[in-house]
Amino acid sequence: MERRKIGHNVAILDTTLREGEQTPGVTFTIEEKLEIVRRLDEIGVNMIEAGDPNVSKDVKDAVRRIAKEGLKAEVLAHCRALIPDVENAASCEVDRVAIFLGTSRSHLQYKLRKDEDKAIELVSKAVERAKSQGLKVRFTAEDASRTSYGFLLRICKKAEEAGADRISIPDTVGVMTPEAVRTLFSNLHQELNAELDTHCHNDLGMATANTLAGLEGGATMAHVTINGLGERSGIAPLSEVAVALKVIYGIETVKLEQIPALSLLCERLSGIVPAPNTPIIGENAFTHKAGIHVAGVLANPATYEAFPPDLIGRQRDIVIDKYTGVHAVRSRLERIGVILSESQISSIVQAIKERPTMTRFRDADLIELAERLTGKNLKAEVPTNVEAILRVKCESNVYTTAIARRLKALKKITRVYEVTGNYDIEVAITADSTADLNETLERIREIEGVEATETQLVLKKFEV
Ligand code: HCA
Ligand code: CU
């Protein structure tokens, strides 16, 4: 398979705090923002877009605090192409200011009510002012993908002349295709001296592909957010861009094994829970189900995996249900120390297929089937799970269903009920050990909006 190259100098800009906080329903406190940027710095992103200080006092305070954190990453403030906005951004003592102005016909006509020359004047003046304050400058031609190429080039050249050493070419409404992005970037790359940034929205599900295409076209900075947060359907996620750069192009950027933890932190702080089938970080990303797939994966994982899960510190899993074959059942039983004959395993597979509505046979269910078949008490021989029922009381100002959804996303939780009475939610937990149970309880108590919990350990369980 022939593939175009991406230079090894590509870098990552994270804009979870700016673009990500524009996600409907999301705001971060200053403390939360600090927690996120420290982790982003640790994982190794090169730039952090901390916010637009003109939005509100709290955004400005956060930008200022982040600029003072002494991060390895370059810290940016986003702002409009207006002198007071630029000065406000400069007063936060950031490394760089990202000055944006809508350049497409509809932005100029309906949003800014300015003609092209006036737009160029605004940008030149704003860039010059930022430079005179000793800041590095990026210019963003907002809605670049719907801007006429002639005007886009003209305004970018003027921004460059005024002192911008980076230019962002966003696909603001996510309407590009990879081929078009690649062409646009290689054309601009030939004409401009400034380094180029990609910023791809995901309205048509193209964000990651377009980002990679922009890098193939000569861009050197990819804008991402944790979990793909952002306006509407968000932008390219850090996880997808960083892992694709490694797996497809052999390029190292951030510490990949830290991605799942960062993703969970963002899930907790934003309340936005990625769907199970989300690439890389989703619950199902390394879970195999159909018998044929599982047999292949057990023989050699590469048969059905784009890359090994341990690249990002995760593990593969197998789901046992009516699609299951003998390989999966044998492997799962062996894992818990139960060795059966071929014909016994076939009988268990048969029994599983006779219960087509059961979505997941857990270890305990398999042991039970094996016990029925062999007449032996296997539970005594294999390590059993610790089960608990937990009641959760939510703070009065929070939406119970939002907490219930977050609980649902936690690995060891097998059932979630919203209930009446003194507590609002009841969950069933199946943990591998007491330590594992404790860890799950800790994570539940950390969820914002959880006021109190009560845990009951299950002593005996009766299947009906
Ligand atoms: C915005 C616009 C922006 C800017 C991107 C950038 C976009 O929400 O203010 O500065 O690179 O998508 O055009 O996010
Ligand atoms: Cu954007």
Side-chain angles (χ1 to χ4, degrees), residues 13-24 26-28 33 48-52 55 59 78 138 140 142 168 170-173 198-203 223-226 228-236:
L13 175 148
D14 183 279
T15 179
T16 304
L17 301 193
R18 199 279 298 167
E19 177 80 54
E21 208 184 29
Q22 288 176 224
T23 308
V26 173
T27 69
F28 301 115
K33 286 183 176 177
I48 292 176
E49 203 165 77
D52 179 344
V55 166
V59 172
H78 209 238
R138 179 184 93 212
T140 293
E142 192 188 4
S168 173
D171 184 16
T172 304
V173 291
T198 64
H199 178 105
C200 300
H201 276 263
N202 204 29
D203 298 68
H223 292 199
V224 297
T225 54
I226 311 167
L229 295 185
E231 288 275 349
R232 310 179 307 281
S233 315
I235 68 165

Side-chain angles (χ1 to χ4, degrees), residues 289-303:
K289 175 165 151 171
I292 296 170
H293 287 233
V294 173
V297 164
L298 289 174
N300 179 353
T303 48

Side-chain angles (χ1 to χ4, degrees), residues 127-237:
V127 174
E128 276 161 14
R129 180 60 64 99
K131 286 302 288 181
S132 75
Q133 309 261 335
L135 293 166
K136 290 190 247 181
V137 182
R138 179 184 93 212
F139 165 59
T140 293
E142 192 188 4
D143 207 15
S145 50
R146 295 191 301 180
T147 302
S148 80
Y149 182 72
F151 179 58
L152 181 62
L153 188 58
R154 197 150 74 88
I155 197 163
C156 289
K157 281 203 161 148
K158 290 290 182 190
E160 196 174 84
E161 276 167 29
D165 68 332
R166 300 205 70 94
I167 292 183
S168 173
I169 303 295
D171 184 16
T172 304
V173 291
V175 287
M176 295 287 267
T177 61
E179 194 49 51
V181 174
R182 194 182 299 114
T183 309
L184 178 62
F185 274 86
S186 34
N187 290 341
L188 290 169
H189 182 52
Q190 275 169 26
E191 300 280 351
L192 298 167
N193 295 316
E195 296 288 323
L196 299 177
D197 291 28
T198 64
H199 178 105
C200 300
H201 276 263
N202 204 29
D203 298 68
L204 294 172
M206 303 279 193
T208 300
N210 284 343
T211 300
L212 297 170
L215 299 174
E216 286 185 358
T220 50
M221 184 74 60
H223 292 199
V224 297
T225 54
I226 311 167
N227 296 351
L229 295 185
E231 288 275 349
R232 310 179 307 281
S233 315
I235 68 165

Side-chain angles (χ1 to χ4, degrees), residues 93-400:
E93 296 176 44
V94 288
D95 302 305
R96 176 185 289 274
V97 62
I99 296 171
F100 70 96
L101 182 118
T103 50
S104 63
R105 179 159 301 197
S106 62
H107 277 233
L108 288 176
Q109 202 171 328
Y110 300 112
K111 201 178 78 171
L112 303 166
R113 295 174 209 282
K114 300 265 185 288
D115 63 20
E116 293 185 349
D117 290 337
K118 185 72 193 153
I120 288 180
E121 191 188 320
L122 281 174
V123 170
S124 299
K125 287 207 165 128
V127 174
E128 276 161 14
R129 180 60 64 99
K131 286 302 288 181
S132 75
Q133 309 261 335
L135 293 166
K136 290 190 247 181
V137 182
R138 179 184 93 212
F139 165 59
T140 293
E142 192 188 4
D143 207 15
S145 50
R146 295 191 301 180
T147 302
S148 80
Y149 182 72
F151 179 58
L152 181 62
L153 188 58
R154 197 150 74 88
I155 197 163
C156 289
K157 281 203 161 148
K158 290 290 182 190
E160 196 174 84
E161 276 167 29
D165 68 332
R166 300 205 70 94
I167 292 183
S168 173
I169 303 295
D171 184 16
T172 304
V173 291
V175 287
M176 295 287 267
T177 61
E179 194 49 51
V181 174
R182 194 182 299 114
T183 309
L184 178 62
F185 274 86
S186 34
N187 290 341
L188 290 169
H189 182 52
Q190 275 169 26
E191 300 280 351
L192 298 167
N193 295 316
E195 296 288 323
L196 299 177
D197 291 28
T198 64
H199 178 105
C200 300
H201 276 263
N202 204 29
D203 298 68
L204 294 172
M206 303 279 193
T208 300
N210 284 343
T211 300
L212 297 170
L215 299 174
E216 286 185 358
T220 50
M221 184 74 60
H223 292 199
V224 297
T225 54
I226 311 167
N227 296 351
L229 295 185
E231 288 275 349
R232 310 179 307 281
S233 315
I235 68 165
L238 169 66
S239 49
E240 291 179 18
V241 172
V243 172
L245 280 171
K246 170 72 183 162
V247 171
I248 303 178
Y249 301 87
I251 295 175
E252 313 267 349
T253 54
V254 300
K255 293 176 189 153
L256 300 179
E257 69 287 356
Q258 292 186 15
I259 285 178
L262 182 62
S263 198
L264 274 175
L265 172 75
C266 179
E267 176 183 319
R268 176 162 68 79
L269 299 182
S270 66
I272 305 281
V273 181
N277 58 348
T278 305
I280 299 157
I281 53 156
E283 174 88 22
N284 295 351
F286 303 98
T287 303
H288 304 276
K289 175 165 151 171
I292 296 170
H293 287 233
V294 173
V297 164
L298 289 174
N300 179 353
T303 48
Y304 284 104
E305 281 174 2
F307 62 93
D310 51 14
L311 183 71
I312 55 155
R314 291 191 63 181
Q315 288 179 342
R316 75 180 53 86
D317 200 3
I318 291 168
V319 165
I320 306 271
D321 77 348
K322 67 178 177 192
Y323 279 86
T324 295
V326 290
H327 293 88
V329 171
R330 190 193 304 118
S331 143
R332 273 279 290 273
L333 285 171
E334 276 177 7
R335 195 179 73 184
I336 52 178
V338 177
I339 312 290
L340 298 181
S341 70
E342 288 303 302
S343 71
Q344 286 172 322
I345 289 174
S346 298
S347 309
I348 292 186
V349 171
Q350 222 31 61
I352 289 169
K353 288 182 191 286
E354 276 159 24
R355 291 175 67 185
T357 53
M358 177 105 163
T359 51
R360 244 173 217 256
F361 284 77
R362 295 175 188 276
D363 288 350
D365 304 312
L366 291 180
I367 292 174
E368 203 185 299
L369 287 175
E371 279 184 338
R372 255 191 247 154
L373 198 71
T374 59
K376 279 197 214 154
N377 179 5
L378 296 167
K379 273 195 200 88
E381 293 170 26
V382 299
T384 41
N385 296 325
V386 185
E387 296 196 32
I389 306 289
L390 178 81
R391 293 170 167 175
V392 179
K393 192 168 164 53
C394 302
E395 282 165 10
S396 56
N397 60 337
V398 302
Y399 179 44
T400 309

